[in-house]
């Protein structure tokens, strides 16, 4: 169906190149075709949504966009999914959870490492800052731990799931 376009940018996505208005979407299973206006140019393409194969609350869906013979992959997680992940981390740290290694949740540039080997971190303490998709993402400790090894340096461009920081294992005696 129908309906008119118009108006402001309230229903579109904002990109650095300009406004995106989704004109039509048709769906068949996980695959969808779309027509969009990007900066005044009409674009047609297809999208495939790959749902996470894990029960982890922070798992992002991968959206594969196919436009004009090119492919772009985007990781998408909504605010509710991110909030559930933070709540799960907080509950785990209160239950005496072990700090797992910090990995890059998405490809990007490591802007800052805020810790050093031997340093103690508390739950919720910032460990690293990653710049991805023109936004800064602060990666935090989930539990009290001691930093063991830094596997990357500020300024490094890292892949999704790249190992950034590992923590010393502490045996309760």
């Amino acid at each position: 169906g129908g309906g008119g376009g118009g108006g402001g940018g309230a229903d579109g996505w904002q990109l650095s190149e300009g406004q995106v208005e989704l004109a039509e979407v048709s769906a068949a299973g996980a695959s969808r075709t779309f027509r969009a206006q990007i900066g005044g140019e009409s674009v047609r393409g297809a999208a495939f949504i790959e749902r996470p194969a894990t029960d982890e609350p922070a798992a992002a869906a991968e959206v594969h966009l196919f436009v004009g013979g090119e492919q772009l992959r985007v990781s998408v997680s909504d605010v509710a999914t991110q909030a559930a992940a933070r709540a799960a981390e907080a509950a785990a740290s209160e239950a005496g959870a072990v700090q797992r290694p910090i990995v890059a949740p998405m490809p990007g540039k490591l802007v800052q490492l805020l810790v050093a080997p031997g340093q103690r971190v508390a739950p919720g303490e910032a460990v690293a800052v990653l710049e991805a998709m023109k936004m800064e993402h602060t990666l935090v400790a989930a539990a009290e731990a001691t930093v063991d090894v830094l596997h990357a340096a500020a300024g490094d461009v890292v892949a999704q799931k790249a190992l950034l920081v590992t923590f010393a294992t502490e045996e309760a005696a």
Side-chain angles (χ1 to χ4, degrees):
D11 3 324
W13 296 308
Q14 242 357 78
L15 294 179
S16 61
E17 295 84 19
Q19 185 69 26
V20 174
E21 293 180 23
L22 210 49
E24 68 185 59
V25 176
S26 61
S31 184
R32 291 168 170 62
T33 60
F34 65 89
R35 183 171 60 87
Q37 287 290 121
I38 303 176
E41 181 180 341
S42 182
V43 176
R44 288 185 181 274
F48 176 78
I49 301 171
E50 185 179 342
R51 302 280 177 209
T54 175
D55 292 336
E56 283 195 33
E62 296 285 325
V63 179
H64 301 265
L65 299 173
F66 303 91
V67 177
E70 295 188 31
Q71 177 183 359
L72 173 66
R73 189 178 80 203
V74 181
S75 293
V76 179
S77 66
D78 59 30
V79 173
T81 302
Q82 294 170 15
R86 284 192 295 274
E89 285 178 4
S93 67
E94 289 173 12
V98 174
Q99 173 65 50
R100 291 196 288 215
I102 301 279
V103 297
M106 62 193 77
K109 180 179 179 182
L110 191 58
V111 177
Q112 283 182 293
L113 272 169
L114 304 168
V115 295
Q119 180 179 337
R120 292 288 295 170
V121 294
E125 184 173 339
V127 174
V129 179
L130 182 72
E131 182 182 292
M133 297 183 293
K134 299 183 182 160
M135 294 174 47
E136 287 191 352
H137 305 272
T138 302
L139 309 177
V140 299
E144 190 170 312
T146 302
V147 175
D148 185 27
V149 179
L150 302 179
H151 297 272
D156 287 357
V157 175
V158 296
Q160 182 174 5
K161 298 183 182 173
L163 186 60
L164 303 177
V165 179
T166 51
F167 298 86
T169 56
E170 298 172 9
E171 300 291 323

